[in-house]
Amino acid sequence: MNITAVGIDLAKNVFQVHAVDARGKVVLRKQLRRAQVAGFFSNMPPCFNWHGSLRERPPLGRTLGRFGHTVRLMASQFVKPYVKTNKNDVADAEAICEAVGRHSMRFVPIKSVEQQAILSVHRVRQGFVKARTAQANQIRGLLGEFGLVIPQGIYNIAKRVPELLEDASNELPVPFRHLIERLTQHLKELDRQVKEFEKEIIEWHRSSELSRKLEAIPGIGPLAASALVASIADAHSFNNGRQVSAWLGLVHAKAPAAASQRCLG
């Protein structure tokens, strides 16, 4: 088989493979389980591999790259217009091979292990930030039901709650005081976790030359700089700033250039 390009539709456990030759003729249709993928492509001569899903992710792309294959990822919304029949894994894999022949097609850069790791830290930190905000709002709301108003902000809760709990004149029931105290301790733990993750991110930022360069731009701090570097992966994969903005979700892919410049500026 003279395979030049392979489209892979990725799923949780079963991957659909669609291979074509230099003339675009179908030479292989095959279904592979996850454990079979590496062995299958390790025995195949180097060719182009196109993945139509982002969720599976760079690990598979890096694995195939080690076998000498040229790997590209495509966002699923770019593949959808080329699906000829009802949507299924076989049709999706074929559509991937069809889509890659378009000169205007854009591909998603494959992230390194380090970039994926720091993005994971960013996501987990953001989850703790949301939990911290929710916990603070809950404490503020419960106290508000007893007529005790605390201004917005984590700092105000840390400052005012101990004072309210020690004040016997507000007639708060003892069980309620214990409840607020436990919630406050939980809030402190969430805040501690957020700060720990921030330390990890800043350490990574200091080790990345590109991230430090981005920090020099007014309005961009270590957290934003590290997130940008990890998200973009390889800036050379984009033709211009508009594509970068679209990939980050700042503007629509077809937005005027001026709009993307404002978002990046």
Side-chain angles (χ1 to χ4, degrees):
M1 293 185 294
N2 185 22
I3 296 175
T4 59
V6 180
I8 309 174
D9 184 68
L10 307 174
K12 290 183 178 179
N13 297 309
V14 179
F15 299 165
Q16 185 67 40
V17 175
H18 183 95
V20 298
D21 59 17
R23 295 177 297 175
K25 181 181 178 180
V26 179
V27 294
L28 175 69
R29 288 193 180 98
K30 189 175 182 64
Q31 196 176 78
L32 299 173
R33 299 195 69 80
R34 179 185 294 273
Q36 299 173 316
V37 174
F40 178 80
F41 284 98
S42 66
N43 296 318
M44 180 183 291
C47 61
F48 286 95
N49 291 271
W50 316 93
H51 303 250
S53 169
L54 302 184
R55 287 189 312 191
E56 198 66 30
R57 311 124 141 128
L60 178 59
R62 291 193 294 265
T63 298
L64 299 187
R66 288 195 291 268
F67 299 144
H69 300 291
T70 301
V71 183
R72 297 288 184 271
L73 300 177
M74 285 187 292
S76 56
Q77 63 265 31
F78 295 153
V79 178
K80 186 177 180 180
Y82 301 97
V83 178
K84 298 176 183 177
T85 60
N86 292 333
K87 180 175 173 59
N88 55 59
D89 293 346
V90 176
D92 288 347
E94 181 179 357
I96 293 167
C97 279
E98 178 78 18
V100 298
R102 300 296 183 259
H103 295 294
S104 60
M105 183 56 61
R106 296 200 306 274
F107 303 102
V108 178
I110 298 176
K111 296 178 178 62
S112 67
V113 174
E114 291 76 16
Q115 287 171 322
Q116 270 195 276
I118 199 62
L119 276 180
S120 297
V121 177
H122 270 283
R123 294 191 188 102
V124 173
R125 173 192 169 274
Q126 187 59 31
F128 275 100
V129 169
K130 291 181 179 179
R132 183 181 64 180
T133 301
Q135 185 67 91
N137 289 337
Q138 184 182 43
I139 293 172
R140 190 179 292 107
L142 290 171
L143 289 171
E145 294 177 5
F146 285 83
L148 303 175
V149 180
I150 297 180
Q152 296 285 334
I154 302 294
Y155 169 78
N156 289 318
I157 290 180
K159 178 182 178 181
R160 291 280 294 128
V161 167
E163 297 174 356
L164 294 174
L165 295 180
E166 293 176 3
D167 185 2
S169 64
N170 53 36
E171 298 182 349
L172 292 177
V174 172
F176 183 78
R177 291 177 188 272
H178 291 164
L179 172 65
I180 295 299
E181 185 176 5
R182 291 179 62 182
L183 293 179
T184 304
Q185 290 300 320
H186 185 222
L187 178 63
K188 290 180 180 179
E189 176 59 21
L190 292 173
D191 188 55
R192 187 187 68 81
Q193 294 283 358
V194 170
K195 291 177 180 177
E196 293 250 338
F197 287 124
E198 287 178 356
K199 288 180 181 178
E200 291 185 31
I201 293 171
I202 291 174
E203 286 179 6
W204 186 91
H205 160 76
R206 290 171 178 169
S207 67
S208 169
E209 181 181 359
L210 182 54
S211 186
R212 294 197 307 272
K213 287 182 179 179
L214 281 176
E215 187 187 14
I217 301 174
I220 297 183
L223 297 180
S226 61
L228 282 170
V229 171
S231 298
I232 292 174
D234 181 8
H236 296 291
S237 301
F238 302 94
N239 295 327
N240 50 52
R242 187 187 311 176
Q243 288 188 4
V244 176
S245 299
W247 169 236
L248 294 173
L250 299 176
V251 298
H252 190 273
K254 296 183 179 179
S260 63
Q261 290 173 0
R262 286 195 297 272
C263 289
L264 291 174

